[in-house]
Amino acid sequence: MRNVLRRALWVSLFLSVVVSAAQAAKKPRTSRKDEVVTISTPQGDIRLILFDVTPLHKANFLKLAQSGFYNGTTFHRIIPGFMIQGGDPNSKDADPNNDGAGQTDEKMIPAEIRPELTHKRGAVAAARTPDFINPQRMSSASQFYIVQNPQGTPHLDGQYTVFGQVISGQDVVDKLAQQPAAERNRPVTDLKMTVKVEKLKKKKITELYGYQY
């Protein structure tokens, strides 16, 4: 009888170990590193991080940034007290009238709108076409905007995908928003950008920029 109980106990312990190992294997590993995106402009550098909870937008932005896609594009729309918008490949050409129109064959990104990601100051969000032609609120393949308003732009919450946050250089965003603009809020002088990506330890990002994970 004692041997039977002992055997049952060992079987129970073995199964517990197996179940615990299986559960641990299912849990995704949390990376200790993250990408810092640096947008360099004539007014200075803006640094931002992108959210893991919006994986489609994060992967898309990083892919474009690392390929050099954004280099030479401009912030083609600036509205002080609101936001700055850029990332349209059309802004590389000599025709200012097509800036912001996007490319006809671009593949949009499914919306990743999350209630906890709001349009606070420095929020990075994806531009998109209006609801009447885009009821699914899918995002532009490349265009994005950064909230400049110190109070944020809460009226946009739940309507556009927020997928990142400025961690350094919000003062540069302010300077860009204040540049002279003409029709359609287009800057008189091209505000060109170059974009690079650097992978750092999250602890280092917190030390350098104060961002808390």
Side-chain angles (χ1 to χ4, degrees), residues 30 52 57 61 140 156 180 184 191 205:
T30 302
D52 290 335
H57 286 72
F61 194 97
S140 163
L156 299 180
R184 299 184 295 119
L191 304 176
I205 294 172

Side-chain angles (χ1 to χ4, degrees), residues 118-205:
T118 60
H119 284 76
K120 62 183 180 180
R121 178 169 170 83
V124 182
R128 66 174 179 84
T129 50
D131 284 2
F132 70 90
I133 56 174
N134 179 24
Q136 293 83 18
R137 295 177 170 172
M138 299 177 73
S139 300
S140 163
S142 64
Q143 292 188 58
F144 64 96
Y145 59 93
I146 302 175
V147 176
Q148 185 265 328
N149 193 317
Q151 283 73 50
T153 56
H155 62 284
L156 299 180
D157 290 348
Q159 299 183 54
Y160 295 79
T161 296
V162 174
F163 65 96
Q165 179 66 37
V166 171
I167 59 173
S168 173
Q170 186 64 36
D171 60 320
V172 177
V173 176
D174 294 340
K175 291 175 184 177
L176 290 166
Q178 296 296 333
Q179 296 303 301
E183 294 182 12
R184 299 184 295 119
N185 306 113
R186 187 184 186 282
V188 173
T189 303
D190 285 347
L191 304 176
K192 292 187 177 182
M193 69 179 83
T194 57
V195 182
K196 69 176 182 179
V197 179
E198 182 181 14
K199 199 159 192 175
L200 298 173
K201 290 183 178 180
K202 291 180 178 178
K203 183 179 179 181
K204 187 67 174 179
I205 294 172

Side-chain angles (χ1 to χ4, degrees), residues 78-110:
I78 55 172
I79 304 177
F82 184 28
M83 59 90 224
I84 61 173
Q85 180 176 333
D88 184 2
N90 292 340
S91 64
K92 292 183 179 183
D93 65 29
D95 181 8
N97 296 313
N98 64 8
D99 291 359
Q103 297 180 319
T104 55
D105 59 345
E106 71 176 4
K107 185 177 180 181
M108 295 192 293
I109 309 168

